[in-house]
């Protein structure tokens, strides 16, 4: 959680290969440089994610996730989340379904029915048919 990194001296941004463990690309930044890259930091109690500017870092070999152009979602839609659960150094993928769509205070929230635990906060919710991001974050 970006909002809890106040005591960190170095922040590491890492992407892994398909095996979920081998490093594909990595950058280490001072906490100051990392903080300067934060575009938006949302309320961690609701969304648990932040947007960062990383376009000038050495991640050009990493294909970006695309946001869903068609924002239509439906109950029962197959989805997945990515994350590093607990202190496991390997990426974990969990699948599930959209169990409901909630509209509250002008916002739309998708409820994910699947196994999530500590380490899934900030995970993208991915449509398993299109591999597009439906929601920017999962809160465990």
């Amino acid at each position: 959680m970006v909002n809890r990194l106040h005591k960190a001296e170095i922040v590491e941004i890492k992407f892994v290969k398909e095996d979920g463990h081998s490093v594909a690309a990595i950058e280490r930044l001072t906490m100051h440089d990392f903080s300067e890259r934060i575009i938006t930091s949302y309320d961690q109690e609701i969304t648990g994610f932040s947007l960062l500017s990383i376009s000038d870092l050495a991640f050009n070999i990493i294909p970006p996730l695309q946001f869903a152009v068609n924002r239509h979602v439906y109950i029962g839609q197959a989805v997945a989340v990515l994350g590093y659960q607990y202190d496991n150094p390997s990426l974990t993928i969990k699948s599930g379904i959209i169990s409901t769509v909630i509209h509250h205070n002008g916002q739309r929230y998708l409820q994910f029915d699947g196994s999530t635990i500590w380490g899934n906060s900030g995970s993208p919710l991915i449509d398993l048919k299109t591999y597009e991001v439906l929601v920017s974050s999962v809160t465990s």
Side-chain angles (χ1 to χ4, degrees), residues 13-138:
I13 302 172
K14 176 173 62 174
F15 290 89
V16 295
K17 296 180 181 177
E18 290 179 355
D19 67 4
H21 185 72
S22 301
V23 176
I26 189 168
E27 287 277 352
R28 290 177 181 87
L29 305 167
T30 66
M31 185 59 196
H32 176 267
D33 290 344
F34 179 78
S35 296
E36 292 290 315
R37 293 176 177 279
I38 297 174
I39 298 169
T40 305
S41 185
Y42 292 94
D43 180 355
Q44 63 192 17
E45 296 302 319
I46 297 172
T47 62
F49 75 97
S50 295
L51 298 175
L52 305 173
S53 173
I54 62 169
S55 61
D56 63 324
L57 299 178
F59 297 134
N60 57 348
I61 63 168
I62 306 301
L65 292 174
Q66 300 297 317
F67 281 101
V69 175
N70 178 358
R71 297 186 44 92
H72 175 74
V73 295
Y74 57 92
I75 294 173
Q77 183 173 349
V79 293
V81 294
L82 307 170
Y84 290 88
Q85 298 180 9
Y86 296 115
D87 290 328
N88 183 354
S90 296
L91 183 66
T92 302
I93 299 176
K94 299 282 191 128
S95 63
I97 62 167
I98 300 291
S99 59
T100 192
V101 179
I102 301 166
H103 296 275
H104 179 69
N105 291 335
Q107 298 290 322
R108 180 180 77 159
Y109 299 91
L110 304 180
Q111 183 172 331
F112 168 78
D113 186 7
S115 173
T116 59
I117 57 175
W118 183 87
N120 287 119
S121 294
S123 299
L125 188 60
I126 300 171
D127 182 321
L128 285 178
K129 287 185 181 176
T130 65
Y131 302 115
E132 294 175 320
V133 176
L134 295 176
V135 173
S136 301
S137 176
V138 171

